[in-house]
Amino acid sequence: MELAYYSDYAVRLVNSEEPARGKDSLTSVEAVRNLFGVNQSAARRATDADVTRFRSVRGRLRAVFEAADTGDETLAVDLLNSLLLEFPVSPQISGHDFRDEDGRPLWHMHLADHPSNATAGYAAIAAMGLAFHLTEYGVDRLGLCEAAPCRNAYLDTSTNRSRRYCSDRCATRANVAAYRARKRLEADRSEKRGLAADSAQRSSATGER
């Protein structure tokens, strides 16, 4: 498993809440377990106590994205470093059961966590994955969706650093809103020009009398 994969852990957790909309899907132990995705062995460690702990880590991870989004690179790194210190992992070489043409394992790096609870394990993986993404691609590749009021977190992997939205849906919604705003502005300007022309005509008519 490539280390970049682990950065998705951070995005999934941060986006379990939409503060501007007052939505929070992280309300049960089952919701916590769903965040682990295919890592079901780790998910089974989750208990009801992890709901509150996950929410705390979520707030700290969102703070990293918020700092990056405002261009405060040092703060984003400091916040992420504090998570890395609190939730350490042990990198290991893993081969699983996959084999190449010569019958050898397909070696890759794997993050082995040794947590006291499910939150510690998830936080360690999420923080390390985000750290790899930040150092590989730059802090400006961590963003928050510009389609208000969404503000979901995303990782920009575009070739030209152009991503601004968390999904195609939000991008479409933002483009439609911008189009409608332009149309309203054009209509307002047209109406003002029409009123000005009418006023000029009335003034001219009055002067002729």
Side-chain angles (χ1 to χ4, degrees), residues 92-130:
Q92 293 181 346
I93 299 174
S94 178
H96 295 304
D97 297 322
F98 302 103
R99 306 285 174 172
D100 63 13
E101 295 178 354
D102 298 323
R104 295 174 301 181
L106 297 176
W107 301 115
H108 60 275
M109 291 300 296
H110 177 79
L111 296 182
D113 59 286
H114 308 286
S116 56
N117 54 65
T119 303
Y122 193 99
I125 291 173
M128 183 61 75
L130 201 56

Side-chain angles (χ1 to χ4, degrees), residues 9 14 26 63 69 124 147 155 168 185 198:
Y9 275 59
V14 171
L26 195 56
D69 190 63
L155 298 172
D168 290 340
L185 181 60
D198 289 342

Side-chain angles (χ1 to χ4, degrees), residues 70-92:
T70 59
D72 196 335
E73 184 171 344
T74 300
L75 178 58
V77 170
D78 287 345
L79 292 170
L80 191 49
N81 273 336
S82 69
L83 285 164
L84 292 170
L85 288 171
E86 186 174 344
F87 303 107
V89 294
S90 301
Q92 293 181 346

